[in-house]
Amino acid sequence: MSQPVSLPTLLLIGCGRMGGALLSGWLENDLAERYVVVEPAVGSRPKTLSPHVAFLESPDHLDPKLTPAAAVIAVKPQVMAETLPHYRAMAARGTLFLSIAAGKTLKFLADALGKDAALVRAMPNTPAAIGHGISVACANKRVDQTDRARADALLAAVGQVAWIEDEALMDAVTAVSGSGPAYVFLLIECLTKAGVEAGLPEPLAEKLARATVAGSGELARVSPESAAQLREAVTSPGGTTRAALDVLMAKDGLEPLMRKAVLAAAKRSKELAG
Ligand SMILES: NC(=O)c1ccc[n+]([C@@H]2O[C@H](COP(=O)([O-])OP(=O)(O)OC[C@H]3O[C@@H](n4cnc5c(N)ncnc54)[C@H](OP(=O)(O)O)[C@@H]3O)[C@@H](O)[C@H]2O)c1
């Protein structure tokens, strides 16, 4: 999957936070010769425009014969049903469609775009905005090796990519990596508040919490050691870290709380699916 991919034309539908992050990643990686972006909100468009990008306010302005190699759908889940029918003919002509809309299943996409459409459903996460995201992708039976490599390259432009065969896992994926950045940001908030409680001025507590989470995350990313090994390496018997971990690793500590949180997110993802 690591071969360079260059597409003649790439269509982006919705250029908000995530669509904009993807577009920046594609431009940086020279993924296509030409980009067509359908985005009604002028304010959402990136400030630095490339001459290779054409913005259209509505699909009505698309060349009716346009058949991009791939189209990425990055609109909110609630506008998917009204948006997709505009692209049904394009899907029938062979364009690969990749949707990042949370909870929208391959079946939903096939119902809207046609049962013969080549479809990939993916779940990226917000660190994609700085090229450090992780996306999980799942393809339908119409996606061949070429399309799969294309979808992989589109997502790899903003971080790591993992593929799953069983779409049912998407709810758990959403609960771990999709929603996960919010848990980490909450950890920074909690660590800051606890630092203030322990006597630190708030700006310093916030600086320490932010840098500690960022630095530890980077260490976990580059280290060959497991998270448990990294944790044990900073925990000496009878020391300060041990005293804190005795609280965090108690029976009613972080583990059961995280399990409850992730299961609640997975349940909600299932409820919202369509
Ligand atoms: N942000 C994340 O961390 C994240 C993570 C995983 C998946 N996702 C998925 O990514 C998708 C986009 O999320 P987001 O956070 O980027 O939302 P967003 O910032 O609201 O971006 C969506 C953009 O699409 C535009 N739009 C609305 N209707 C459209 C249409 N018919 N055709 C073309 N563009 C249209 C919106 O314009 P208006 O503002 O004028 O409506 C907006 O600029 C969602 O489905 C979400 O589930 C997001």
Side-chain angles (χ1 to χ4, degrees), residues 14 16-18 38-41 44 74-77 83 100-102 123-124 126:
R17 270 171 306 160
M18 195 49 82
V38 179
E39 166 58 61
S44 288
V75 298
K76 289 277 189 208
T83 304
I100 61 163
M123 171 53 62
T126 46

Side-chain angles (χ1 to χ4, degrees), residues 5 10 20-32 35 48 50 52-53 128-132 153-154 156-159:
V5 170
L10 192 50
L22 284 166
L23 180 62
S24 301
W26 301 335
L27 287 167
E28 260 170 47
N29 287 275
D30 254 339
L31 228 61
Y35 305 83
T48 333
S50 152
H52 303 290
V53 185
I130 53 160
H132 287 284
L154 292 173
V158 290

Side-chain angles (χ1 to χ4, degrees), residues 12-22 37-45 56-59 73-80 82-84 86-87 99-104 122-128 134 174 177-179 181:
L12 174 65
I13 305 160
C15 189
R17 270 171 306 160
M18 195 49 82
L22 284 166
V37 181
V38 179
E39 166 58 61
V42 178
S44 288
R45 297 173 188 178
L56 304 176
E57 268 171 37
S58 144
I73 311 160
V75 298
K76 289 277 189 208
Q78 53 271 29
V79 299
M80 288 285 281
E82 69 194 63
T83 304
L84 296 188
H86 293 284
Y87 301 92
S99 160
I100 61 163
K104 293 299 175 198
M123 171 53 62
N125 65 1
T126 46
I134 182 156
T174 303
S177 59
S179 304

